Amino acid sequence: RFPESEQASGVVNTMGQTAAARMEFDRAIANFEKAAGLGNEQAPAMLVAAGRLREQLRDRGGAKSAYRDAMKAADGAGQAEALRWLVDLIERTESPAEVVRQLEPLASTGDPEVLSRLGLALIRVGRHDDAEGYLLEVADSAGGASPGAQARANYGMAEVMLNVLENYEPYPELDAIEEAISLVDVVTQSYLTAARQPDRVYSQ
């Protein structure tokens, strides 16, 4: 009744949380999106909350839109948070070719979550050389990447090196045999590096 009130956004957000707790998900989504539209520094978080509910309801297109809107409404850490939810959804639900198509435009952000997932998708579509550049960027930013992104990058680099090994054609000299043995060692160490990361998927 009082949309001009300074408290309107907070009240509608609370209504959204209450609806979510009562499993009235459509109402919760509507309230989160309405609260975000009323203008508030919490708008990106509200849009992410709406996106997560849409995801759980299998409305993947709506979830992606909510995350993209959250990215536009945010900056800094808020934007990175929305971006992580978006790229995680894309990676989990799309084919490798579609992941590449959707994530390549986001590579300019330099976010390790984007680059590590894009790198793995590029490997899966056979673009190992392109993948290597993105994965190295993540691997070299140890302090700025999450353990999950680091694990993906190290695993991806192992896959890149394995591809090199599988296509290696040694010439019949002793030096070539030593080179092949060294390459096997590099591949092994790359997989071990990924396995040592605290990530429940890529460590295994």
Side-chain angles (χ1 to χ4, degrees), residues 38-175:
L38 290 170
N40 187 299
E41 62 182 16
Q42 296 299 315
M46 295 173 197
L47 290 167
V48 166
R52 293 181 65 185
L53 285 176
R54 288 188 181 279
E55 244 190 276
Q56 292 173 40
L57 296 174
R58 295 294 186 267
D59 177 10
R60 291 167 180 163
K64 287 178 187 176
S65 295
Y67 295 147
R68 291 183 189 280
D69 288 344
M71 286 171 58
K72 291 175 186 173
D75 53 21
Q79 191 174 63
E81 177 74 8
L83 180 61
R84 287 190 187 97
W85 284 106
L86 174 63
V87 298
D88 180 66
L89 175 59
I90 291 171
E91 183 187 48
R92 284 188 289 105
T93 60
E94 304 289 357
S95 67
E98 187 60 21
V99 172
V100 170
R101 189 188 73 78
Q102 293 190 36
L103 293 193
E104 275 191 315
L106 298 172
S108 60
T109 64
D111 190 291
E113 300 296 330
V114 175
L115 301 183
S116 60
R117 287 171 165 87
L118 175 57
L120 287 182
L122 286 166
I123 288 170
R124 288 165 183 153
V125 299
R127 291 170 55 186
H128 291 80
D129 290 343
D130 293 333
E132 185 176 7
Y134 292 123
L135 295 169
L136 278 174
E137 193 172 334
V138 179
D140 291 343
S141 66
S146 69
Q150 279 288 314
R152 279 183 178 84
N154 289 318
Y155 177 81
M157 286 306 301
E159 293 283 283
V160 168
M161 295 309 300
L162 179 62
N163 181 67
V164 172
L165 179 61
E166 288 173 338
N167 291 287
Y168 182 69
E169 296 181 6
Y171 43 91
E173 273 91 19
L174 182 60
D175 287 350

Side-chain angles (χ1 to χ4, degrees), residues 10-54:
V11 170
V12 177
N13 181 34
T14 300
M15 289 166 62
Q17 293 176 26
T18 302
R22 294 173 61 176
M23 299 187 183
E24 297 173 355
F25 298 124
D26 288 341
R27 180 174 292 179
I29 290 168
N31 281 324
F32 285 140
E33 292 176 348
K34 182 177 180 180
L38 290 170
N40 187 299
E41 62 182 16
Q42 296 299 315
M46 295 173 197
L47 290 167
V48 166
R52 293 181 65 185
L53 285 176
R54 288 188 181 279

